[in-house]
Amino acid sequence: MHRPVLLVVAHGSRDPRHAGTVHALVRRVRSLRPWLRVETAFLDFNVPSVPGMLTSLAAQGVRDVVALPLLLTRAFHAKADIPAVLRNAPPGLRVRQADVLGPSPLLLRALERRVYEAGLGPADKSSTGVVLASAGSTDPEAIAVIADIAREWRLTGWCAVRPAFASASLPRTEDAVRELRALGCARVAVAPYVLAPGFLPDRIARGAAEADVLAEVLGPAPEVARLLLERYDAARTPVPAAMGA
C-alpha cells in the first residue's frame, strides 16, 4: 500500500537542545511505526530546511508527503509560515498539511506524565495547583485554546489549574504561581506546555522559581509520538463526503 512520507516540520532554534529533542521525538515515532518513512525539517535556524527537504524528497522520486507542524496551537506559523513554504514545493510533489497537535486528550496525558515524573502522584492532585505554562502568542484563538485546556485539566481533580505565558500574553508563570499560593493550594507545580527546550521554556523555568515542582517539557513523551501518528493518519485519509452532498 502506498504511504505518504511523514515530514515533521519543527520551528527550529539556536539552542541545540531544541533539535536534539525533536530528533528524539521522531525516533520514538519511527519505533512505533517502523515501516513508515519519517523525516524532519525546520522552519529556521536548523537544517535541513523545509524547502531543502521537499526538494530532496522530490529528487528521490517521492510523490506524496504529509507535512505535520510540530506545534501545539494554530497560531501564526501554522496559519501563514508553513502553508507559504509548502505552496512552493517542487512540481509533482503532493503535500498535505496535517493539523497541529493541540488540543488533544493525549497532550493532557503527556502533561500529567511529566508532572508525575517530577515527583507528584495522583494522591497529590486535590491539594496541588498547576500552572499550565505555554510559550504565548498574539493570536487570540491560540490563547483561548490554552485557557480551555487549563479548564479541562482542572476537571481531572487538581486543586486549580491556571494558564500562563512566557511571551506576548499575560499572566507570566511567576504571577500564576503566586495566585495559586494565594488560593491556598498546598503545593504548586509548573507544567510547561511546550515541546522542546529553548529560550521561552527557559523563561518558564525561571518563572517557576517559587513553585514546588517544575515538570520537564513534553518532548518525546509516548503520548506525543502517538499523537503525531494520529494527525498523520487523519491527514492522509480522505474525509467521506456528506450524504446527499
Side-chain angles (χ1 to χ4, degrees):
M1 181 187 295
H2 169 70
R3 298 185 188 93
V5 170
L6 169 55
L7 177 60
V8 177
V9 179
H11 184 275
S13 171
R14 293 186 180 90
D15 188 325
R17 296 174 298 167
H18 175 91
T21 302
V22 170
H23 290 309
L25 173 58
V26 169
R27 285 193 296 272
R28 189 176 282 268
V29 172
R30 291 188 182 120
S31 74
L32 292 175
R33 204 171 286 187
W35 57 88
L36 175 63
R37 181 172 178 181
V38 186
E39 300 291 350
T40 310
F42 298 89
L43 287 174
D44 207 353
F45 302 116
N46 303 102
V47 292
S49 68
V50 179
M53 178 55 74
L54 292 174
T55 299
S56 175
L57 290 172
Q60 295 169 46
V62 172
R63 291 293 172 260
D64 202 358
V65 172
V66 169
L68 195 160
L70 202 59
L71 300 169
L72 295 174
T73 59
R74 277 188 50 78
F76 180 78
H77 293 301
K79 293 177 178 178
D81 285 1
I82 293 176
V85 74
L86 296 182
R87 279 195 295 270
N88 292 318
L93 187 64
R94 182 190 186 195
V95 182
R96 284 169 280 182
Q97 181 176 331
D99 201 359
V100 298
L101 299 180
S104 166
L106 284 170
L107 290 175
L108 277 181
R109 289 180 214 161
L111 283 164
E112 202 135 303
R113 170 190 291 276
R114 292 301 190 224
V115 171
Y116 290 167
E117 288 171 349
L120 297 180
D124 299 312
K125 292 182 78 167
S126 63
S127 59
T128 302
V130 182
V131 178
L132 179 68
S134 77
S137 173
T138 57
D139 188 311
E141 178 188 349
I143 297 303
V145 166
I146 301 300
D148 287 343
I149 293 168
R151 282 191 290 269
E152 184 177 349
W153 202 14
R154 163 68 183 84
L155 295 175
T156 67
W158 295 101
C159 173
V161 179
R162 293 290 185 271
F165 307 94
S167 69
S169 308
L170 295 173
R172 295 285 183 258
T173 301
E174 53 268 35
D175 298 325
V177 169
R178 291 174 191 134
E179 181 187 350
L180 290 170
R181 290 268 187 236
L183 280 175
C185 298
R187 283 174 227 83
V188 176
V190 173
Y193 190 61
V194 292
L195 287 164
F199 176 75
L200 293 178
D202 283 350
R203 182 179 286 177
I204 290 171
R206 290 193 297 273
E210 296 178 19
D212 301 291
V213 171
L214 171 62
E216 291 292 327
V217 299
L218 296 172
E223 296 84 359
V224 179
R226 286 172 50 204
L227 181 54
L228 262 68
L229 291 171
E230 279 192 7
R231 295 291 186 253
Y232 167 81
D233 290 338
R236 70 185 288 259
T237 304
V239 178
M243 293 295 293

